[in-house]
Amino acid sequence: MTSLKQLKESFVSDLTGGSIEEIYLVTSVALTSYLSYKLIKDSITQLPLVYDYVINVLTILTAITIYSNNTAFLHYSIFFPSLLMFLLNHYTSKKRNKKSQRQHSTTNDALLSRKQFLTAYRSHMLIITNLAILAVDFKIFPRRFAKVETWGTSMMDLGVGSFVFSMGLVNSRQLIKVHSRYRFSWNAYSKIIKQSTIKALPLLVLGFVRFISVKKLEYQEHVTEYGIHWNFFITLGLLPVLLGILDPFLNILPRVSVAFALLLLNELILKRTSVLPMILSSGNRMDNFLTMNKEGIYSFLGYFTIFIFGQSFGSFVLTEYPTRNNLIFISKTKVTKRNSNFVSVSTTEGLVISTIFYQALFTIVNNSNNLTNISRRFANASYILWVVSYNAAFLLGYNLIDKLLPEQTEVASDVLEGVNNNGLLAFLLGNLTTGLINMSINTLEVSGTVAFLILIGYSIVWLSVTIVLNRKHIYIKL
């Protein structure tokens, strides 16, 4: 007789995913929600928390569950009521907050400043991720959105890569702050290695705890995702370690060039060595530690590359004004119209160029017969470029919304601020709560209505914690 654990494992195994177009349509509900949030905020200074939740969380949950087959209608349902409210307010209100407008029209001289669109981008990405890790265990969540077995695309496959990309993007803030002329010394290098290892320890401990928990509690696991001992926390934990090891190269060479070098190395390994058939083989799983964790070990190269690509975006996405050659290099030198050039760009210019470039490159690679197809399991070149091109396009979308509707007040979304400022905690709570729910009920037998209500309650739990901590100015970030 098949056990419940085996049934749950088979429920998320051997899946083939869905189309890229549908993934973009579904996840862009987050963009529509942000646009609607901005439109409503123009009319209401302080948006009540319940409406904040509905716009920034419930709309996304609806998109990946009950409206997954009618996403276009959901876009209209979110956008048009908020547009109507905006127009009514715009044409009936005689007094505008001139003081606020003057504040937003002034130039900010700080190189690094807080950008609302980045808060929305990171928060929505974390919200989608957290909703999906539990929703995938219910039948209300379409199987085409769940992680594919080997080749193909799905929303959850994209989510894992986007999570790492956003970490790289945020990590580059510190790089810009401390940027100076690089001089190598063994003392400084050993100190960086030590600091990177210490930084990695909490996530590596979490990865070890998750491994022990899964084995002891006989929790369902998908071995071909990362392997027997490996998991996503271990991948995240090892990122700063390798960053520390490669620090001299990353300081001498532009990060984007390092990322492309790793991208090519990844594809060469898969095409010119026996690594690909070794990973695909099911008969060698128990041979040694390497084969037991072959997916997690190999895909780490791809995730590290995505992280470096994310860092390369920071030099123009995070900065308030164009700096010298910031499309490629990290720089603190402000550029004026007199000495500007093609690679010294504003945030919007950089995102337009990056979106066009990476979308074109991804299209070429994805249609090539000489390269391996998209695979999250390997985190190969086509997968990496898919993740980078997607995030470039969505960052541009969020940025353009902010350009179209600049903030009129300093009152921010409790939901978006809470998740952004406590991203690591939100992710941990999501994983823990998902485990508790899965051990408490048989998710495969739950009706769609009950599943939707459980997902609402689940989201309220971890959101409430992040919001309360944010209001108390306690931050646990990624």
Side-chain angles (χ1 to χ4, degrees):
M1 184 177 177
T2 306
S3 67
L4 179 59
K5 179 177 181 287
Q6 291 172 321
L7 287 172
K8 287 189 173 184
E9 286 174 354
S10 64
F11 188 58
V12 294
S13 301
D14 302 317
L15 303 176
T16 56
S19 71
I20 291 175
E21 293 77 16
E22 184 187 26
I23 294 166
Y24 280 35
L25 180 64
V26 171
T27 55
S28 63
V29 165
L31 278 173
T32 302
S33 298
Y34 184 55
L35 175 58
S36 297
Y37 167 77
K38 300 279 281 187
L39 289 169
I40 294 172
K41 274 291 297 294
D42 189 81
S43 308
I44 305 172
T45 302
Q46 178 62 64
L47 196 66
L49 187 56
V50 64
Y51 292 127
D52 196 347
Y53 173 82
V54 169
I55 293 171
N56 288 304
V57 183
L58 193 60
T59 52
I60 295 171
L61 175 59
T62 305
I64 65 175
T65 54
I66 58 180
Y67 269 92
S68 58
N69 294 320
N70 198 5
T71 315
F73 177 77
L74 183 60
H75 278 278
Y76 301 140
S77 300
I78 297 168
F79 174 69
F80 284 117
S82 56
L83 177 63
L84 179 61
M85 183 182 293
F86 172 81
L87 293 174
L88 287 172
N89 176 66
H90 186 74
Y91 288 107
T92 57
S93 178
K94 294 181 180 180
K95 295 183 179 181
R96 308 295 292 172
N97 191 336
K98 294 182 180 179
K99 182 180 178 182
S100 175
Q101 289 176 341
R102 285 198 300 270
Q103 287 175 341
H104 286 275
S105 65
T106 57
T107 302
N108 190 340
D109 291 327
L111 176 61
L112 295 169
S113 63
R114 191 173 183 83
K115 296 187 176 183
Q116 190 63 37
F117 84 90
L118 285 175
T119 297
Y121 156 76
R122 292 190 68 241
S123 299
H124 279 154
M125 183 273 300
L126 279 163
I127 288 167
I128 294 173
T129 301
N130 265 15
L131 291 175
I133 60 176
L134 175 60
V136 69
D137 296 316
F138 294 99
K139 291 182 178 179
I140 195 175
F141 187 82
R143 293 300 88 193
R144 63 186 183 277
F145 292 169
K147 290 178 181 177
V148 302
E149 189 67 25
T150 302
W151 309 108
T153 57
S154 77
M155 188 186 72
M156 290 191 73
D157 287 328
L158 182 62
V160 177
S162 297
F163 192 95
V164 174
F165 180 92
S166 71
M167 285 182 64
L169 176 63
V170 173
N171 179 268
S172 62
R173 178 177 291 274
Q174 187 62 26
L175 298 176
I176 297 169
K177 281 183 179 180
V178 302
H179 177 70
S180 61
R181 192 177 187 88
Y182 181 71
R183 292 183 178 86
F184 178 81
S185 74
W186 283 109
N187 287 336
Y189 183 55
S190 60
K191 185 178 179 180
I192 287 170
I193 296 291
K194 181 181 177 181
Q195 290 174 339
S196 300
T197 305
I198 293 171
K199 187 177 180 180
L201 285 177
L203 283 168
L204 292 175
V205 169
L206 286 172
F208 180 72
V209 170
R210 189 185 189 284
F211 163 69
I212 296 297
S213 304
V214 168
K215 300 302 179 185
K216 290 289 184 181
L217 299 172
E218 293 192 351
Y219 190 75
Q220 68 265 21
E221 54 184 328
H222 193 186
V223 174
T224 58
E225 189 174 346
Y226 293 105
I228 293 176
H229 309 97
W230 205 279
N231 55 61
F232 191 50
F233 286 108
I234 295 176
T235 294
L236 296 180
L238 289 177
L239 289 174
V241 176
L242 188 54
L243 276 175
I245 294 171
L246 297 180
D247 184 71
F249 298 100
L250 294 171
N251 276 286
I252 296 170
L253 301 170
R255 274 171 163 72
V256 67
S257 65
V258 175
F260 272 110
L262 293 172
L263 185 90
L264 291 172
L265 174 64
N266 192 331
E267 195 63 24
L268 283 172
I269 291 172
L270 291 176
K271 296 291 288 187
R272 301 292 178 86
T273 71
S274 59
V275 167
L276 182 59
M278 183 270 288
I279 296 176
L280 289 174
S281 174
S282 59
N284 61 4
R285 174 66 67 183
M286 304 305 296
D287 287 359
N288 51 57
F289 180 82
L290 180 66
T291 56
M292 287 179 184
N293 302 284
K294 51 191 178 182
E295 292 87 358
I297 292 171
Y298 185 78
S299 65
F300 177 73
L301 172 62
Y303 286 122
F304 181 74
T305 306
I306 291 171
F307 187 90
I308 299 298
F309 270 119
Q311 283 189 325
S312 73
F313 274 66
S315 57
F316 58 87
V317 171
L318 300 182
T319 52
E320 187 65 28
Y321 50 77
T323 57
R324 189 170 61 190
N325 303 328
N326 64 333
L327 189 63
I328 300 173
F329 298 96
I330 293 175
S331 172
K332 290 183 177 180
T333 306
K334 189 173 183 178
V335 169
T336 61
K337 289 184 179 179
R338 185 181 300 176
N339 60 356
S340 64
N341 55 46
F342 178 74
V343 290
S344 299
V345 295
S346 67
T347 296
T348 305
E349 290 169 344
L351 286 172
V352 168
I353 293 169
S354 297
T355 298
I356 294 171
F357 173 74
Y358 285 109
Q359 288 287 350
L361 185 59
F362 167 65
T363 301
I364 293 169
V365 169
N366 193 39
N367 292 320
S368 172
N369 293 324
N370 298 317
L371 302 171
T372 53
N373 295 326
I374 298 175
S375 174
R376 182 265 319 147
R377 184 176 177 182
F378 303 115
N380 58 348
S382 53
Y383 172 76
I384 293 167
L385 289 174
W386 180 40
V387 170
V388 176
S389 62
Y390 169 88
N391 281 274
F394 270 62
L395 277 167
L396 176 60
Y398 281 104
N399 177 248
L400 292 177
I401 290 171
D402 264 14
K403 289 283 187 181
L404 178 67
L405 296 165
E407 281 292 326
Q408 298 299 322
T409 68
E410 294 183 359
V411 179
S413 160
D414 273 328
V415 168
L416 298 181
E417 290 290 329
V419 174
N420 181 62
N421 289 331
N422 289 284
L424 177 58
L425 181 64
F427 187 60
L428 287 175
L429 287 174
N431 276 273
L432 288 171
T433 314
T434 294
L436 289 173
I437 291 171
N438 266 281
M439 288 187 294
S440 303
I441 62 172
N442 181 358
T443 55
L444 301 181
E445 294 183 353
V446 172
S447 68
T449 302
V450 173
F452 192 73
L453 292 174
I454 290 173
L455 287 164
I456 290 175
Y458 154 81
S459 64
I460 289 173
V461 168
W462 50 264
L463 278 169
S464 298
V465 176
T466 60
I467 291 170
V468 169
L469 290 178
N470 185 61
R471 287 179 175 179
K472 293 181 179 293
H473 305 290
I474 299 171
Y475 309 125
I476 304 174
K477 298 185 179 183
L478 288 170

